[in-house]
Amino acid sequence: MRGCLSTVPGKLTRERPGARRQAVQGRSAGKQARLLLRLRPCVGETNLPIEERPVPQSTVPGERPSPTQLFPTRPAPFDRQGVTENDVIDFTPELRKQALAVLEKYNYGPLFTPPSLQKPTIEMPGIAGGASWSGAACDPETGICYISSVTFPYAATMSKSSVPGIDYVGEMTPVETMQGVPLWKPPYGRITAIDLNTGNHRWMAPVGDLAQSNPVLRQLGLHHLGRPARGHLLLTKTLLIIGQEGNTQREGIGKSPAATLPNFEIHDPKLCAYDKATGRNVGEVALPRNATGAPMTYLLNGKQVIVVATGGSNLPAELIALWLT
């Protein structure tokens, strides 16, 4: 099985000096924290090279995954892929020791590490990480793509199935934390600006701050850590505006459909504006609850209006409109 996409592919047409028109560039921001593929029309070739590499193989009886997977060589991943001990926090020696002890409860490794019967297997980015379905925003004038992503892995636990014809079933659960402190180094939520002309990252900035709601991190005096929640994007001529979701708890995930209904928690709800050239945070506007979709903007009687969807699930679902004065 090959890696899948999590967002609808977009397209961007770019002009280049000395050429009448550059090819259309198809792109999709994936859950695997990769920006896939920039295609020339008609021929289906990529502008940036892709390699086929061997990947870890399964130890589950009867399971035969693909021996290789495709790896774009550029752009670089926009979020963490796979797990090593180097990814574990080092805020203090004590916290690092605790995090390494928790990590030993799991099977872990590089991207495409398959589930194991021995231990729960960490999937990084996993079903809740990477770009998710909030997608990306691209600037047709500069060719720069802005991607919101989160570092929020889940663990897959394999067990014998009671269903005839199915040998094993998997259950997905969040990776254990230490009083809400993730095992991984920050940022936990971020925005990355990627130049599609060169494949280079222009800048990366944390979005949100987990330290504001976590007493352990706050006591250490940490800040600007990012928060593991989807960021919804609106791109303008000069600004990138982001609204973050709140925390989403799904108790009993994988056991029954009724048990997977999300329970949203409100955390520091606001729209944040970033200078799209540098990634500098230039302003914030408070919201009554967290954003749940991409903001939109339009002119009404000469005023610039921004509308964002908020709430959802257990919270009131409302459209909030703001205008510039």
Side-chain angles (χ1 to χ4, degrees), residues 3-4 13 15 55 93 101 116 130 158 168 183 200 208-209 211 214 221 294 320:
C4 63
T13 301
E15 300 279 0
V55 292
S116 164
M158 302 294 289
Y168 300 95
L183 305 185
N200 295 330
D209 190 2
N214 184 278
I320 305 298

Side-chain angles (χ1 to χ4, degrees), residues 4 32 47 49-50 54 62-63 71 88 99 126 156 167 180 188 205 219 256 263 265 308:
C4 63
Q32 294 169 347
N47 289 356
I50 295 176
E63 187 173 70
F71 289 80
V88 173
D167 295 329
Y188 306 116
Q219 190 173 22
S256 72
N263 178 41
E265 298 175 0
V308 58

Side-chain angles (χ1 to χ4, degrees), residues 256-279:
S256 72
T260 63
L261 295 176
N263 178 41
F264 284 98
E265 298 175 0
I266 297 175
H267 282 278
D268 195 23
K270 59 189 174 184
L271 289 180
C272 297
Y274 294 79
D275 184 323
K276 70 178 188 179
T278 65

Side-chain angles (χ1 to χ4, degrees), residues 31 123 125-132 150-154 172 228-230 250:
K31 272 188 174 293
E123 296 186 353
I127 63 170
S132 194
V150 295
T151 301
F152 192 19
Y154 267 58
M172 303 300 297
R230 293 185 188 97
R250 285 178 168 85

